[in-house]
Amino acid sequence: MSSAFPHRHLLGIEGLSADDIRFLLDEAEQWVEFNRRARKQDGRLIGLTQINAFFENSTRTLFSFEIAGKRLGAQVANFHVDSSSVKKGESLTDTALTLNAMQPDVLVIRHEANGAAAEVAEVMGCPVINAGDGSGEHPTQALLDALTLRRRFGRIEGLKIAICGDIRHSRVAGSNLHSLPLLGAEVRIVGPEELLPPSPPPGFASFTDFEEGISGADVVMTLRIQRERMEEALSDSLGDYHSLYGLTRERLERLAPNAVVMHPGPMNRGVEIDGDVAEDPERSLILDQVEMGVAVRMACLDVFTRPDRGA
Ligand code: ASP
């Protein structure tokens, strides 16, 4: 593939091909080494304005987009919802039109509504990168997960990956359920019935028994319970979620010998994952995921601001 990337916006993994994903991962590789240098300054985004419009809280995603843009030389402006006119009742489209009038060159958006990034892309004159829309998609998270796995195993094809926990409300699962099978992984979803998708996507094995679901897996991806996206409280039977679905040291015994553990963060230690598992230097890739996040976001900012990218 040439440097002409065939998409104007990054709204989700859905709609990307396996080649598109591999292209973005290959582009990200150069930034991994670059980010480990003492001095990290590239000039390819000099003169460009990047707006990060985050309508929901974020630690990793907001900071890594900001750091990524700055390392590439962009002028980065963060839009803070708490001090914005959204609090005065301004609609999403009006806010987008306002930001667009300031002539940004790329907009990174996180919003609590599914489809918000696509809605905003309709009115923006610049590329839009979805940094998480409701329980929809979080494409840069799936890309950084794929890069982390590809660097660890040298491949994604054939890996047995168990995505565990609150799949139903997770945009991380939403994106990974598109990317990982496209890249050739064998993906299972594992969790209590009420946290699995109401109609499980065809082609995925689904398990409500945690120990059965993670047996023999090369990768366990644990997810936080997304209470903020639930319309109803969890049933009482899930009161002791940790005893049924928590990833404990004993349960690691069930995995493949070189298995790894991932979590997109923020973690709730003692709920979906134990602290000693999250910190296990042999198994845990959680901080590698954060590191790869900066590289992936640099690649996305670079690729999506190229003048010759697709319509
Ligand atoms: N940080 C991820 C997200 O924004 C995962 C999470 O919040 O649990 O979706």
Side-chain angles (χ1 to χ4, degrees), residues 160-199:
K160 292 186 177 59
I161 303 181
I163 304 184
C164 302
D166 185 3
I167 320 277
R168 184 178 298 196
H169 304 98
S170 167
R171 54 197 175 206
V172 174
S175 286
N176 270 309
L177 289 174
H178 288 294
S179 55
L180 294 171
L182 263 186
L183 298 171
E186 197 188 294
V187 181
R188 320 162 184 176
I189 50 179
V190 186
E193 195 79 56
E194 63 189 284
L195 297 181
L196 291 176
S199 38

Side-chain angles (χ1 to χ4, degrees), residues 98-139:
T98 304
L99 297 178
N100 191 51
M102 296 177 197
Q103 307 288 345
D105 300 287
V106 57
L107 177 82
V108 179
I109 179 170
R110 165 168 291 191
H111 198 280
E112 63 276 8
N114 290 31
E119 188 182 327
V120 158
E122 294 283 324
V123 299
M124 296 298 294
C126 69
V128 173
I129 298 180
N130 181 4
D133 64 320
S135 56
E137 283 230 32
H138 192 352

Side-chain angles (χ1 to χ4, degrees), residues 35-47:
N35 285 334
R36 290 177 180 168
R37 291 189 204 151
R39 286 174 189 270
K40 313 160 188 57
Q41 187 64 66
D42 182 271
R44 67 189 65 195
L45 263 56
I46 282 180

